[in-house]
Amino acid sequence: MSPEDRYDDFDELLRSALRDEADTITPAGDGLSRIQQRVQQRGFRQRWMRPALALGSVAALAVIGIGAAVFVSNSGDDKVTVGNSPSPQPSDTAPTVPAAAPDFPNLAIFPFTTAVAEQGWEQDYANGGTQWEADPAQVATHWVQDYLNQPSVNRVVDTTDDGNDKLVTLGRVLDAESHQLFKVTTVRLTPYVNSWIVVGASDPNDFLSISSPDPGGTAITPVTVSGPAFGVEEAVKFDVRDATSTTSYGSNTVTFGNGHPPWHVSVNFNRPSSPIGVLVGVDTSPADGGPSRIVAQQIRFSPAEAHQPPPYFYAIKNDRITQFASRTGDSIKYLTSQQPGGGLEDPQVYGSDVYYLQGAGTCANALMKVSTSADGSDNGDIVASPDTGYAILQYAIGNLATVVFEQACDPARTPEAKLVTIPSLPGANRNVIDFPSLPPTLETDPSFDGAESTQLMTAILRTGTESSLTRYDVYGDDSPTPGRNACSGLGPEDGQPKALESDSGGTLWIALQTGSSMDVVRCGANGKPKLAFTVQGQDVPVDIDVTGDGSAVLLTDDHGKVWRWDGSGNPDELSNNIPLTHVSW
Amino acid sequence: MDTLGQVDTRRDADEALVALYTAHYRSLVRLAALLLHDTAAAEDVVQDAFVAMHDSWRRLRDTDKALAYLRQAVVNRSRSRLRHLKVVERKTPPATPESAQIHGGHVPSAESGALHALERQHVMAALRGLPHRQREVLVLRYYADMSEAQIAEAMGISPGAVKSHASRGIAALRQTMELSS
């Protein structure tokens, strides 16, 4: 038996080994009483401290202010940190004039980009939440491993002071014969209250550097990145990323070396969803393909950028997920490979991924996703599969859950359809709303009610010949017809709703078929619809996709025509040379 | 003096603590023990997590969120505990392979000749040799049956990093198993 045969069932072996090991572990029986005892002790301590906290927080700010001065005068002493400020203690002599808060680092990129976000963590920190944010080496390691996704860069090689800042140099072991440990990046961290904040990273050997744009400078797509040349056959990938999530907006690779003049590269990026981003450059080691140098700095996105429609949208072409130019409708690149069985449909962009259904028209379909930065050879990852005997017809991706509408492959099966909520949170139970027989049924993809919504979702519910906008509580409902009208001011006389989408603020955008036109209306919390734009003609809306801030809309019809509306006036019909019925940006 | 709202919140937290303890304490201790290879330390870590969860109840207010919080706290606190132990280990002489095996309790008994039992012991030994993040991902995936997204949430890393740690961990385990066979 070959080793390969022997470990074909390796997953199962690992699973059973872990379970067997776990079964041998039996906790002592006094766990609950020990926890309750500690809770009680903490309760007394916190209640004792609480009256002092209001004064104590003022005192803490004063201590921080003093601490900063001490820090400067003791710049060589590692032990003097603002993070180790003494806890506030009850005091009769607390100052009555509030001290000024320290300035938040204006080049912050991780783990917080605003003082408000940092303050949220401070509250958790005080209550026993995560502690790593208070340790510069741990912050640097988290940033490189989790944010930059460079798990091999896992050695803290050096930590030095630079005024108030700390410089933490991280390295890795070369995955080649020499197994040499070498420095990859020096992370600069600035203290703020109890946390340490990454404000940039440089090449420890000072070879790779960015001359333009400046740290904290404003970037408009495409951004030109340049720097001095060095080395031999260098390949550096530059990535424009969101600072508050791992979303990549766009990347490009520049090769240089062999005495070439200064390098430059143009990076196209998608419309950012937050004002602060990070420009990251990663040089690759020819020895093992891992990172050899990492540089990073903050960039800010132009406010004008926020009012431009996204440069790309995504749709299906030749049975592959494809990126198109929003201005013209021209196809730009494939994201997925040609997959056996094909049947791709219904793409929806969420974050930096495009979700889609694969195996359409079969009972073996699945909800898949692929990164928007994929290069055309990707097979996608499975997000959800239907229950046996069912196929996924529609879906919605939410903040903390995915909802799929599944229909039985055999109409005699009961229930004939079901709306299934699959939570992202570990341990949470899924919720299933049975549709015993059809109708009622869901007309098209539902949509969560805004970026923050975890529970409320709106769908077009068809009962016979009538369609209505119905709001579901995806965890609390068990009836297919919960009777909540998501836009009370919209009546049958306004037209038949055919497609909908919520923007991140929760405003519902609805495409209506009136018989003589396609109308797109928006409906806010007051339930009153307001006309956004109209496309004259007898075409039937199929899909609508709206940007997070509601400033631009894509609309498709049953003939595969695509309209782009930029927030005012009439929509432009794109000149896509193939029919596109489902689009997303 | 506490307000009525504060009293309600504390009562909810007390009730949630008991409910979560009843339903999940044992599995969380087992999870921590698989990460730490030390049952007593695992119990400490899980009890710490329950106390912190109780403190944070005002923010959580939901048993599902609280369970996610507990899992995340257990993973993070186990990692901190291991980091501390590594510092301690550096200051103590290394154990001989024999003594390490005896301490680990993984020398097969004379009666236990079954190949699969031996394989499982090898797997566990190899698992303990992995870098901590790879070990965490594999334990969460194969013991706790968590999805990539759930593991990412619990470990506070990206789904891509989960995938990367998992594939590297599996590859390393396979290599170790092949060498030992």
Side-chain angles (χ1 to χ4, degrees):
Chain A
M1 184 186 285
S2 73
E4 289 74 19
D5 293 334
R6 188 167 175 182
Y7 298 118
D8 270 354
D9 294 329
F10 193 79
D11 285 5
E12 193 44 47
L13 175 64
L14 179 54
R15 205 180 296 276
S16 66
L18 285 164
R19 293 216 181 284
D20 285 357
E21 178 87 358
D23 286 346
T24 66
I25 298 158
T26 305
D30 61 347
L32 183 58
S33 62
R34 287 164 66 183
I35 294 167
Q36 286 173 328
Q37 201 174 8
R38 289 177 55 191
V39 164
Q40 204 171 13
Q41 284 167 354
R42 282 171 78 91
F44 280 127
R45 185 168 57 83
Q46 286 180 349
R47 277 197 289 281
W48 170 72
M49 287 180 67
R50 195 173 296 135
L53 276 179
L55 295 174
S57 58
V58 175
L61 286 173
V63 166
I64 290 159
I66 296 163
V70 170
F71 207 111
V72 173
S73 62
N74 290 279
S75 59
D77 184 357
D78 278 353
K79 291 178 182 172
V80 182
T81 66
V82 174
N84 291 335
S85 305
S87 301
Q89 297 293 325
S91 166
D92 293 335
T93 57
T96 53
V97 180
D103 288 337
F104 189 77
N106 59 5
L107 295 178
I109 53 178
F110 182 88
F112 315 109
T113 55
T114 64
V116 171
E118 201 275 348
Q119 284 156 10
W121 169 78
E122 291 285 348
Q123 288 178 356
D124 291 345
Y125 177 66
N127 288 322
T130 57
Q131 309 285 305
W132 60 264
E133 293 88 340
D135 179 275
Q138 287 194 55
V139 173
T141 306
H142 270 278
W143 180 66
V144 170
Q145 298 216 327
D146 301 338
Y147 175 79
L148 297 182
N149 195 18
Q150 298 288 356
S152 65
V153 185
N154 56 7
R155 303 288 182 94
V156 177
V157 181
D158 192 22
T159 301
T160 58
D161 291 336
D162 184 18
N164 273 352
D165 290 356
K166 290 269 186 202
L167 300 174
V168 177
T169 298
L170 296 170
R172 71 182 181 95
V173 174
L174 195 66
D175 191 12
E177 201 171 344
S178 69
H179 295 294
Q180 175 196 354
L181 172 65
F182 67 100
K183 297 174 181 178
V184 175
T185 188
T186 297
V187 183
R188 176 175 287 274
L189 301 107
T190 295
Y192 182 75
V193 192
N194 284 303
S195 67
W196 285 89
I197 294 173
V198 177
V199 294
S202 58
D203 175 5
N205 296 308
D206 289 331
F207 286 117
L208 177 62
S209 64
I210 298 171
S211 306
S212 177
D214 291 332
T218 299
I220 298 172
T221 186
V223 60
T224 300
V225 186
S226 63
F230 63 92
V232 181
E233 293 182 359
E234 304 296 324
V236 181
K237 181 182 177 186
F238 281 96
D239 200 3
V240 173
R241 309 181 61 162
D242 184 26
T244 54
S245 69
T246 54
T247 302
S248 170
Y249 294 128
S251 63
N252 201 0
T253 299
V254 57
T255 56
F256 57 87
N258 298 317
H260 282 187
W263 54 265
H264 68 274
V265 60
S266 182
V267 183
N268 281 298
F269 58 88
N270 286 323
R271 177 199 180 94
S273 56
S274 60
I276 298 179
V278 186
L279 176 64
V280 182
V282 179
D283 195 1
T284 304
S285 164
D288 65 353
S292 60
R293 299 177 178 86
I294 297 175
V295 296
Q297 65 183 46
Q298 188 202 70
I299 50 174
R300 288 180 180 263
F301 299 118
S302 162
E305 195 79 24
H307 298 293
Q308 296 293 319
Y312 311 116
F313 69 86
Y314 299 87
I316 310 289
K317 179 182 179 183
N318 295 333
D319 222 13
R320 300 167 76 175
I321 302 294
T322 307
Q323 185 185 64
F324 291 79
S326 298
R327 284 277 156 218
T328 61
D330 293 336
S331 58
I332 296 175
K333 68 166 187 175
Y334 291 122
L335 270 56
T336 52
S337 57
Q338 195 85 47
Q339 292 167 42
L344 270 54
E345 64 174 21
D346 197 6
Q348 292 186 39
V349 174
Y350 190 87
S352 58
D353 294 316
V354 183
Y355 290 73
Y356 58 97
L357 293 174
Q358 181 174 305
T362 73
C363 276
N365 78 343
L367 177 60
M368 310 284 292
K369 71 173 180 180
V370 64
S371 167
T372 52
S373 59
D375 61 1
S377 60
D378 206 301
N379 291 326
D381 295 321
I382 292 184
V383 176
S385 300
D387 290 344
T388 305
Y390 290 82
I392 299 174
L393 293 193
Q394 276 106 33
Y395 67 96
I397 308 294
N399 188 14
L400 289 172
T402 298
V403 174
V404 294
F405 183 66
E406 301 179 6
Q407 187 171 327
C409 303
D410 174 3
R413 184 185 284 265
T414 302
E416 200 174 342
K418 47 190 172 181
L419 190 63
V420 182
T421 302
I422 306 161
S424 312
L425 281 172
N429 293 325
R430 69 181 209 160
N431 188 55
V432 180
I433 301 172
D434 287 343
F435 287 60
S437 60
L438 304 183
T441 187
L442 297 197
E443 180 99 4
T444 182
D445 285 327
S447 179
F448 276 92
D449 292 355
E452 299 299 318
S453 174
T454 57
Q455 206 150 350
L456 295 177
M457 181 191 79
T458 299
I460 298 176
L461 181 70
R462 182 158 52 80
T463 50
T465 56
E466 297 258 314
S467 295
S468 61
L469 296 166
T470 298
R471 180 161 284 145
Y472 286 91
D473 176 342
V474 298
Y475 287 111
D477 284 340
D478 53 12
S479 164
T481 53
R484 287 184 213 97
N485 191 337
C487 185
S488 55
L490 200 67
E493 67 282 4
D494 295 310
Q496 193 85 325
K498 289 292 180 186
L500 66 80
E501 167 107 339
S502 290
D503 62 30
S504 56
T507 297
L508 199 57
W509 295 70
I510 307 137
L512 300 162
Q513 179 197 9
T514 68
S516 60
S517 66
M518 297 189 293
D519 289 355
V520 171
V521 299
R522 53 194 161 199
C523 192
N526 61 8
K528 292 180 181 171
K530 189 176 174 186
L531 182 67
F533 65 93
T534 291
V535 177
Q536 296 297 334
Q538 296 181 339
D539 299 325
V540 180
V542 172
D543 192 18
I544 185 171
D545 205 77
V546 59
T547 55
D549 63 359
S551 65
V553 173
L554 286 177
L555 174 72
T556 65
D557 70 16
D558 54 339
H559 294 103
K561 288 181 280 190
V562 182
W563 282 269
R564 190 196 71 238
W565 183 71
D566 292 345
S568 60
N570 293 320
D572 293 323
E573 183 180 347
L574 303 186
S575 55
N576 45 298
N577 53 14
I578 58 164
L580 301 172
T581 50
H582 286 86
V583 295
S584 183
W585 62 6
Chain B
M1 184 184 289
D2 290 336
T3 65
L4 281 177
Q6 285 169 329
V7 171
D8 285 347
T9 301
R10 202 163 49 241
R11 192 176 56 222
D12 288 349
D14 292 344
E15 286 171 3
L17 189 147
V18 173
L20 286 161
Y21 177 91
T22 308
H24 301 289
Y25 182 73
R26 179 189 291 253
S27 64
L28 287 169
V29 169
R30 288 177 168 179
L31 174 65
L34 289 172
L35 297 173
L36 288 165
H37 193 52
D38 180 335
T39 305
E43 288 201 65
D44 283 348
V45 159
V46 174
Q47 287 166 15
D48 286 347
F50 269 92
V51 173
M53 185 278 292
H54 187 277
D55 285 351
S56 303
W57 182 253
R58 184 184 294 276
R59 184 167 52 85
L60 297 167
R61 286 178 177 270
D62 179 289
T63 51
D64 289 338
K65 281 185 189 168
L67 178 58
Y69 176 94
L70 282 171
R71 281 185 167 152
Q72 192 166 29
V74 166
V75 172
N76 287 339
R77 285 161 195 266
S78 298
R79 192 183 304 141
S80 300
R81 180 69 67 110
L82 282 175
R83 215 175 272 133
H84 170 71
L85 288 176
K86 276 181 187 165
V87 173
V88 174
E89 276 169 14
R90 276 189 218 120
K91 295 176 180 172
T92 55
T96 61
E98 292 77 14
S99 67
Q101 283 184 335
I102 291 163
H103 285 304
H106 287 280
V107 177
S109 70
E111 295 78 17
S112 146
L115 179 62
H116 66 277
L118 202 59
E119 277 184 336
R120 287 202 292 267
Q121 287 171 7
H122 282 157
V123 170
M124 290 309 299
L127 191 69
R128 282 191 284 276
L130 291 181
H132 64 79
R133 280 182 184 273
Q134 291 178 13
R135 188 169 62 245
E136 283 169 15
V137 167
L138 294 184
V139 168
L140 293 175
R141 173 77 188 86
Y142 290 97
Y143 171 66
D145 280 331
M146 289 163 68
S147 68
E148 271 176 13
Q150 289 171 327
I151 297 169
E153 177 87 18
M155 291 179 63
I157 60 177
S158 70
V162 172
K163 205 180 283 187
S164 162
H165 288 311
S167 64
R168 283 164 195 257
I170 288 286
L173 283 186
R174 279 179 188 275
Q175 195 176 19
T176 307
M177 294 295 287
E178 283 165 15
L179 286 174
S180 69
S181 69

